[in-house]
């Protein structure tokens, strides 16, 4: 591992049935939940468990009012956890890392968020009250499709140098994520394409900046006496420093048997830096792993 950083993200798994099944299993005691922890905290390796009854006691009553019968009799029932969290957004506690020239994702745990409500019914915002799917093995592998539940895709977009210092776990020679991947791009180990197209870019084309969608610049041409005699078109020569923004596509899976969430990064996009007011935002290059 030559580069690694905390890189949490959020995801909603509505329409997959995942959230309901997760909480039903939790209510029945088939899986365990823990008290949420922050990345890098002293107690991150000491798990404190929280069962469903404790979570129900912690949360506001969350009662549903039902009207039944001719007299419109009012009945109240307490919603199940699976109902309260039905549309929950999950915080994915994730570490991105590079090993053997491949960008990988290690999801350590997930935390569904619910609205924090006071006794007066005032909503104060989203709260993480329990975490699931604790994975202590960063190299846990995806199993066959029949043993995994596909939850969907997420996309993370950020500037490579924007990761705060306290979230960077490892930077060999001080290189950021793009600089660490670049030698594997130039060597041809990672396949490169122009945007969403199917035409592959060779390392030589990439270094020269000469590929479909690349930006042409006009360079002045002078004669032997120093007089301007015209212009000629050239491509920007590219290197790791030519790019700043990265957009990562990630496929998310749930392993029911092991109760862990795994992911696969099939590809990412790199966006070129804009130099000056006349620079144009050319289409990104796509790295396929």
């Amino acid at each position: 591992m030559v580069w690694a950083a905390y890189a949490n993200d959020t995801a909603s798994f509505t329409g997959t049935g995942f959230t309901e099944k997760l909480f039903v299993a939790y209510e029945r005691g088939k899986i365990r939940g823990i008290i949420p922890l922050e990345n890098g905290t002293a107690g991150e390796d000491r798990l404190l468990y929280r069962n469903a009854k404790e979570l129900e006691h912690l949360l506001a009553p969350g009662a549903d009012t039902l009207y039944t019968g001719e007299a419109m009799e009012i009945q109240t029932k307490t919603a199940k956890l699976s109902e309260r969290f039905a549309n929950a957004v999950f915080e994915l506690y994730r570490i991105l890392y590079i090993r053997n020239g491949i960008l990988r994702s290690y999801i350590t745990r997930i935390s569904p968020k619910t609205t924090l409500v006071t006794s007066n019914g005032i909503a104060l915002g989203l709260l993480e009250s329990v975490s699931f799917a604790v994975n202590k093995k960063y190299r846990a592998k995806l199993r066959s499709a029949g043993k995994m539940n596909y939850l969907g895709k997420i996309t993370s977009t950020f500037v490579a140098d924007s990761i705060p210092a306290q979230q960077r776990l490892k930077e060999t020679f001080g290189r950021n994520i793009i600089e660490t991947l670049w030698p594997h791009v130039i060597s041809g180990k990672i396949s490169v394409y122009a945007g969403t197209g199917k035409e592959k870019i060779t390392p030589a084309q990439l270094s020269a900046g000469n590929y479909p969608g690349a930006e042409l610049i006009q360079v002045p041409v002078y004669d032997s006496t120093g007089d301007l005699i015209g212009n000629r078109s050239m491509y920007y020569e590219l290197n790791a420093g030519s790019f700043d923004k990265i957009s990562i596509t990630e496929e998310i899976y749930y392993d029911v048997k092991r109760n862990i969430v795994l992911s696969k990064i099939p590809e990412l996009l790199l966006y070129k830096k804009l130099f000056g007011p006349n620079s144009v935002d050319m289409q990104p290059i796509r790295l396929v792993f």
Side-chain angles (χ1 to χ4, degrees):
M1 186 187 301
V2 293
W3 182 92
Y6 288 120
N8 291 3
D9 207 339
T10 57
S12 176
F13 303 123
T14 54
T16 64
F18 167 72
T19 307
E20 180 182 2
K21 292 176 181 177
L22 183 73
F23 274 96
V24 168
Y26 179 49
E27 290 169 325
R28 294 177 179 177
K30 293 183 178 181
I31 61 172
R32 304 174 79 180
I34 66 167
I35 296 175
L37 298 168
E38 287 296 324
N39 286 333
T41 58
E44 190 176 2
D45 59 342
R46 297 193 298 270
L47 305 182
L48 299 176
Y49 293 94
R50 172 173 285 162
N51 62 40
K53 291 296 182 183
E54 291 171 334
L55 181 58
E56 288 175 350
H57 180 73
L58 175 69
L59 299 177
D64 294 330
T65 302
L66 304 178
Y67 298 91
T68 60
E70 294 181 1
M72 299 299 288
E73 178 185 358
I74 298 177
Q75 296 181 346
T76 301
K77 72 171 185 178
T78 300
K80 296 180 180 179
L81 291 175
S82 55
E83 296 171 347
R84 295 193 205 183
F85 286 88
N87 298 312
V89 173
F90 284 80
E91 182 80 11
L92 306 183
Y93 284 88
R94 179 184 67 173
I95 295 174
L96 293 176
Y97 68 97
I98 297 172
R99 183 169 62 86
N100 297 330
I102 304 297
L103 180 63
R104 306 170 193 269
S105 173
Y106 166 38
I107 299 176
T108 63
R109 58 196 180 277
I110 61 173
S111 294
K113 297 182 178 182
T114 186
T115 304
L116 178 62
V117 182
T118 68
S119 58
N120 296 324
I122 300 175
L124 299 180
L126 293 176
L127 167 74
E128 292 179 34
S129 52
V130 67
S131 296
F132 298 109
V134 176
N135 183 4
K136 297 182 180 181
K137 298 180 179 180
Y138 81 94
R139 294 179 68 174
K141 296 181 179 180
L142 289 165
R143 299 196 294 167
S144 60
K147 298 179 180 179
M148 307 287 293
N149 290 345
Y150 176 66
L151 301 181
K153 289 183 180 180
I154 61 172
T155 301
S156 307
T157 303
F158 56 91
V159 175
D161 288 328
S162 68
I163 300 175
Q166 65 271 22
Q167 293 183 19
R168 301 175 201 163
L169 299 174
K170 187 170 185 178
E171 282 188 335
T172 304
F173 305 121
R175 294 173 178 168
N176 64 26
I177 182 173
I178 298 176
E179 293 166 341
T180 304
L181 286 171
W182 195 254
H184 304 282
V185 172
I186 295 302
S187 69
K189 180 177 180 179
I190 299 175
S191 298
V192 183
Y193 300 84
T196 58
K198 297 181 179 180
E199 184 175 350
K200 195 171 182 178
I201 303 172
T202 67
Q205 285 178 303
L206 187 62
S207 296
N210 181 8
Y211 59 88
E215 179 183 359
L216 275 172
I217 57 173
Q218 298 299 315
V219 179
V221 177
Y222 300 91
D223 62 16
S224 58
T225 62
D227 293 327
L228 179 65
I229 58 175
N231 295 282
R232 64 189 179 95
S233 298
M234 292 183 62
Y235 290 99
Y236 274 118
E237 293 183 4
L238 298 180
N239 54 46
S242 304
F243 303 88
D244 57 355
K245 191 168 67 173
I246 183 170
S247 184
I248 301 169
T249 298
E250 195 167 345
E251 298 173 351
I252 308 297
Y253 299 85
Y254 179 59
D255 188 316
V256 179
K257 184 177 181 180
R258 292 184 289 176
N259 184 33
I260 57 176
V261 175
L262 300 169
S263 75
K264 177 183 178 182
I265 298 177
E267 62 183 31
L268 61 82
L269 298 175
L270 294 181
Y271 293 84
K272 190 177 75 69
K273 291 179 180 177
L274 299 182
F275 298 99
N278 296 323
S279 184
V280 298
D281 190 6
M282 69 177 186
Q283 69 171 328
I285 63 170
R286 179 165 51 97
L287 311 188
V288 178
F289 300 105

